Amino acid sequence: LMSTPLLMAIYFTIWWTVLFAILPLGVRSLHEDGGGAAGTDPGAPANPQLLRKAIITTIVSTIVFGLFLLYAEYA
């Protein structure tokens, strides 16, 4: 069996990897949205929806981590 700190580190790594995969989904830039104040980066997201993406990331990461545990148990 793996130790708890190792399992936490693996989950943390999976979570960050999934976050970077989820972040660009559904993002519209200020330029695409036709908005933005003077001096803002036109490539900045108009509405990044970070809480929604964190929740989705947690759900997907938990599923991937569960699959990892199944694989580790039976491999």
Side-chain angles (χ1 to χ4, degrees):
L1 287 175
M2 291 183 247
S3 67
T4 301
L6 177 60
L7 291 173
M8 289 172 59
I10 291 170
Y11 183 82
F12 180 77
T13 303
I14 291 171
W15 195 92
W16 276 103
T17 303
V18 170
L19 176 66
F20 288 130
I22 298 272
L23 274 178
L25 299 179
V27 173
R28 291 184 52 83
S29 69
L30 290 175
H31 176 72
E32 291 172 331
D33 228 21
T40 59
D41 183 359
N47 184 11
Q49 302 176 349
L50 294 179
L51 179 60
R52 180 174 178 258
K53 290 182 180 186
I55 292 168
I56 292 169
T57 298
T58 301
I59 292 167
V60 172
S61 297
T62 302
I63 293 168
V64 171
F65 184 68
L67 293 172
F68 166 77
L69 289 178
L70 281 174
Y71 175 77
E73 181 71 25
Y74 295 109

